[in-house]
Amino acid sequence: MIILLIAAFIGIALFEAPGLVQRKYWRELTAFLLFLVAAFILALLQVLGVKIPNPVKGIEVLVKYFLSLMS
Amino acid sequence: MLEKGKISSSQLTFLIAGFTLGSSLILSPGLVAGHDAWLAVLAGLGSSLLIAFIYTTLAVKFPGKTLVQINDIIFGPYLGKLITIGYLWYFFHLASLVLRNFSDFFVGLIYPETPIIVFLIFITLTCASAVRNGIEVIARTSIILLFVTACATFLTTVLLVKDMEFTNLLPVLDLPLKQFIKASYAATTFPFGETVVFLMVIAFLENTKQAKPSVTLGLILAGILLVVASVRNISVLGVTEPIHTYDSYQAVRLINIGEILTRLEIIVVGNFLAMGFLKISVLYYGTVLGTAQLLNLRSYLPLVLPIGILMVILSILQFESTIENIHFAFDIYPYYVIPFQFGIPLFSLIVAVVRGLPKKAKEGSK
Amino acid sequence: MQKFRKNTVTIIFLLIVMLGITGCWNRRELDTLAFVSGLGIDKAREPGKLQLTAQIIKPGEIKAPEAGGGGMGGSKPYWNISQIGNTVFSTVRAMTLKSNRKLFFPHNEVIIFSQDIAREGVRKYIDFLIRDPEFRRLAWIVVAKDKASEVLETKTELAKLPARNIAELIKARSATSEVSAVNMQEFLTRLMSKTTAPIASLIEVSAKEKTAQLTGTAVFKDDKLVGFLNKTETRGLLWVINEIKSGIITVSCPDGKGKASLEIIQASSKIKPEIKDNDIHITVEVKAEGHLGSQMCLEDLTQIPAWNSLEKRQSEAIRSEVLAALKKARQLNADIFGFGEAVHKKYSRLWKDIEDQWDEFFPNIEVTVKVESKLRRSGLTVKPPRPE
Amino acid sequence: MFGFISQKLRFLHVLLNRERNKQDNHSPELTQATISRNLDQNLKLFKDILGTSNDIIIREFSFGRDRKINAALIFVDGLIEKTTVNQSIIKPLMYDSHLFSLDETNVSSNIDYICRAMLSVGEVQKTGSVEKIIDGCLYGDSVLLVNGAREALVISTKGWESRGITEPKTEAVVRGPREGFTETLRSNTSLLRRKIRNPDFTLEVIKVGKRTRTDVCIAYLKGVVNPRLVEEVKRRLKRIDTDAILESGYIEQFIEDAPFSPFSTIANSEKPDVVAAKILEGRVAILVDGTPMVLTVPMVFIESFQTAEDYYSRPYYATLIRLLRFLAFFITILAPAVYVALTTFHQELIPTNLLITMAAAKEGTPFPAAAEALGMGVIYEILREAGIRLPRPVGSAISIVGALVIGEAAVSAGLIGAPMVIVVAITSISSFVVPSQSDLTAILRVVMTIFAGFMGAFGIIILLLWVLIHLSALRSFGTPYLSPLAPLSFSDLKDVFVRSPWWVMLTRPRTIGWHDPQRQEFKLNPEPPPEKPEE
């Protein structure tokens, strides 16, 4: 599974990066790599079964807090 | 320019209609109102036309500018960026929400043994390829897909006429006003209010002045289809409607004309997916384009796949079960969207009018 | 060049994804499935347990023309598999211990409850049948007078499968309109209504011939079987709920010397509730049209007075059927006609107060039955074959 | 890794370019060379260039009152019309020349005189360029070299063995003209010119192919066509730098918009009436010498579903048939995939009786449905290919093998379920209804079946969406491929799913240039004659 994941990410990198390098889009390349690495780390954590904090739970708490303020 | 394509006003209409139908064909809006859901949808449509007026006024005031640029102009570079990040999160979250809904639909009903990730990946890949091709291509597909969906909705309705009990719609407005308002409000926020993402798209309209009529027309078109679907479901399913997870699907399963025209649900499933594809694509596009504009990139293409993967991850992460999903949809979502769908657009408009901004806009954007 | 490379990468990437998901989890070839055509639910001998009987189609046997000499001695085109268990779901799964193929329910045509299980209440069984996506809502709900498993073992001549035979019997009901046909969706609708009582077809196995026969309607109160309607009462019920398609009404000839049979060709009905002086009053309006189908008396029925009197007799017959059904319903205190819903739709404000006491209201509601029936045609002949 | 490979390939490309340039160095000399006054010298030059091929005839003779003027006629045997050469060139020169007073000293004026007064041939060109002479000679012209003249006469005597105009086999019609294009460019252009008798109808010739020097002719109707489209076509044609063009398929692959798409974005036809109709709509036709297949651009997707006959038969029937064609297209793409999806994923969607039949047929067959479908598909394609290539008399053997072995024996041996044979048969029959997309459907069908085998209906829908996205993104010479459906153009829908009567089609398709919109006058619909006033 992990191998598959790595292969997929390498595939995506190969898909996008060469064109960016060729056109010298360094800024875009940085942004791309940043997002890709973030995605990779999150995906890896998920595959490994590490609990990642759920942002939606945070939203829920926030909304409930505001609702309690209202009433 | 990040996006070279231009869309015509009729394409915008179809795109909005398709977007609005999106996931509301599987998850019927206004369910809280029971057999008055269709009225809640109508009410939601009415109020959403007002909100859409705010959006389009904003868009027309700043022709050729997307939400990200508008925010920058109105709120200045720092606060504007902050608000933009908020919106980008909202689009991103909404896209992954819809993605999750559709994948759940497939896993729950048709492929119970298949892991959800398969559907997430394939739907995301499809949307990614559309997003990479730009808004023009998404708009072009929307025409054909919407046409097919409209046909399928009417076809299934006609085939179900035999099973319809229109007395199921009676008595009209048989519920406390408060509950009805709540249902209508829910219908406003889902699906109609979600058109706020089109502030990212209207900028590419060939003739910005056409924005208002085409957005209105699109919403009305979707509203009509939703009311038709809602009336169909209620009159066919009657009292049993509220217990179903996916009432449209259940209604269509009851089609049986002489044992020949029966078991048609796959057609409907295809349509659902097509509409979901449109909705996710537009949201996905909004997220990616907005991020590229926020980071001041020259091309949004490299962001498409990484953000898609993040979307898939969030889809898996956000709910552990459909029950959590339903809880979120009914109890949290209607309040969560207040700032995005009503608060900020209204506030932006007020600020823009007070500061007389469209004139300054030219200087601001250099 | 650039584009070519991109395409290669895309293809490789897609291949990786495809290989990764080559699980084909839900793939099932046709020859790995056991198609269930009928499901029977019985009480098991052990208390608290139930016995499920599933009728599985054997596609090979059903298609192959039986090779001469009386059908290969006992190789039936179906296989009834029985299993005892605690819940429907666990029992269905336990059946796979006996069947080499996975039981597949979407083509299930009838669901049969035995009388004793129906008397106990069916809601707990229905839940699985509507929750699981494999079950379709168009399956017929049938109550067996005796054991459900027996019904699935009955002899059939024209149909090859007992379950299918029952489904076809139900579909053919319109010829007489003397049995009710209720599919899962309708049953569920009635079950979920606060006042309307569920009904189901009633089936009996004749002791001698071992054939199945529809004999009327089973009436539920909430989810429990409380009684039966015979054929006449059933037709009375069907008149009221607008389910009459066709049927034969037999009346005596005006001269009283024989019988005439009238064929119903069209019927419709309306339930009109009214609240007068805090009293619920319900008017049932039935409109029917018929043919003169046969006469067994010598009278010339096509004379206007005779014809009119025949029409009147038809109306009377219909009214008496409706009243019979009404009487039985009051006896059982089960609102099989949906009077409650009709009141609800018309008087939604008042309904809130009545709702909970409907059981007390129902047996005492005043019901007026108005029948308006017409005879339209007399077939190929106008007069009976007799010397003038 | 890919960067590395592409670098290597680019290097190779540069190398190739260099070699080509070296070879090309010869040509400038030839293009600038002119002939000399001396006949013997000229003949030597041409013998050097043309080599020793035995089909090149050099006929030396002398004429004039005293037979003092030496001349030579060069032509390629087989490319010329012998009677023209004998009767209209050699005969007047040899027999009649003594009647005229030819000035033997001033030969260059003689050339003019010969050209004006003696040659009874329609097209004569005077040139001194060696290249032009060689070109003409190799294209069926006869070259008359006269001693002492600086210029030669290139006399058009084209007339080679060619196939007559026959009915095209690929596009047979019941109603409509039966003629088809042939391999000769000139007769093809004449077929078009005969249909469009309009001075605005323009033919432009571009020579393509370094070695074959093939004539490629673009045809369009000035005033109707969008000039930018013509420019674009020319630009793309001139880009082509290749050795040989033998068929229009070569051109197609060099100029198409989406070379990686399975959809072809350039239409072709063998019928002059079809091509003429397309030119009249504002398209550009590309005729290539040596092939009857004429290309037209731009192409939109629905063109695959329109046939010439649609426009000749009455509208109701044409509409019906066109809808049928759409249906057949979907059947041929989807039938095996849907069958696989239904039988392996969605058994609940098959009507019970049919399901029992299918299950009975499936009982005991060894392969999964997807493998059956793919295998049968492959066998069918093999049979089809063999049927096309085999000589006619043997061809019928194929159908026997196909019908008996595949159809009967495999089913009765229990290798394949009978329903699958039926599905494959329906699929293959349907594929002939939309012949212009037949290569596409074959590919799409296989991919569809694989997807259906993996993921059932979900796979089919996803793949259909992909195809739709791809189609929406495609363009053919600037025209969106899915137009007029997406982007939607209401006025063009008159010729998509329905074929409106001719008097309704007031405008040309909007998406193709739209240079001169109106096609005909309003209110041309036939009406009964006005009633006579009562007398």
Side-chain angles (χ1 to χ4, degrees), chain D residues 412-449:
Chain D
S412 57
L415 291 175
I416 299 166
M420 181 54 85
V421 178
I422 297 169
V423 168
V424 170
I426 291 172
T427 309
S428 51
I429 293 291
S430 304
S431 74
F432 291 109
V433 178
V434 188
S436 61
Q437 293 287 359
S438 65
D439 47 350
L440 160 84
T441 51
I443 299 168
L444 219 51
R445 191 187 309 142
V446 172
V447 182
M448 279 284 177
T449 314

Side-chain angles (χ1 to χ4, degrees), chain D residues 474-491:
Chain D
L474 266 189
R475 276 169 178 279
S476 167
F477 285 80
T479 302
Y481 198 53
L482 270 188
S483 67
L485 289 177
L488 190 63
S489 146
F490 279 107
S491 69

Side-chain angles (χ1 to χ4, degrees), chain D residues 60-134:
Chain D
E60 291 178 66
F61 60 97
S62 43
F63 62 101
R65 194 171 289 159
D66 311 315
R67 312 238 170 250
K68 284 214 174 124
I69 308 172
N70 285 329
L73 195 65
I74 310 177
F75 55 85
V76 179
D77 193 19
L79 289 186
I80 52 119
E81 203 170 337
K82 284 229 168 88
T83 47
T84 317
V85 172
N86 294 344
Q87 298 294 320
S88 311
I89 304 173
I90 299 182
K91 192 174 166 225
L93 283 176
M94 289 175 72
Y95 287 116
D96 308 338
S97 63
H98 59 273
L99 300 176
F100 303 102
S101 57
L102 282 168
D103 187 353
E104 279 146 38
T105 48
N106 186 1
V107 187
S108 47
S109 70
N110 285 350
I111 282 270
D112 280 336
Y113 191 80
I114 292 169
C115 180
R116 285 231 196 124
M118 298 181 68
L119 297 176
S120 51
V121 177
E123 188 189 336
V124 180
Q125 212 188 349
K126 205 169 68 176
T127 180
S129 155
V130 174
E131 193 204 13
K132 274 193 184 160
I133 293 170
I134 297 286

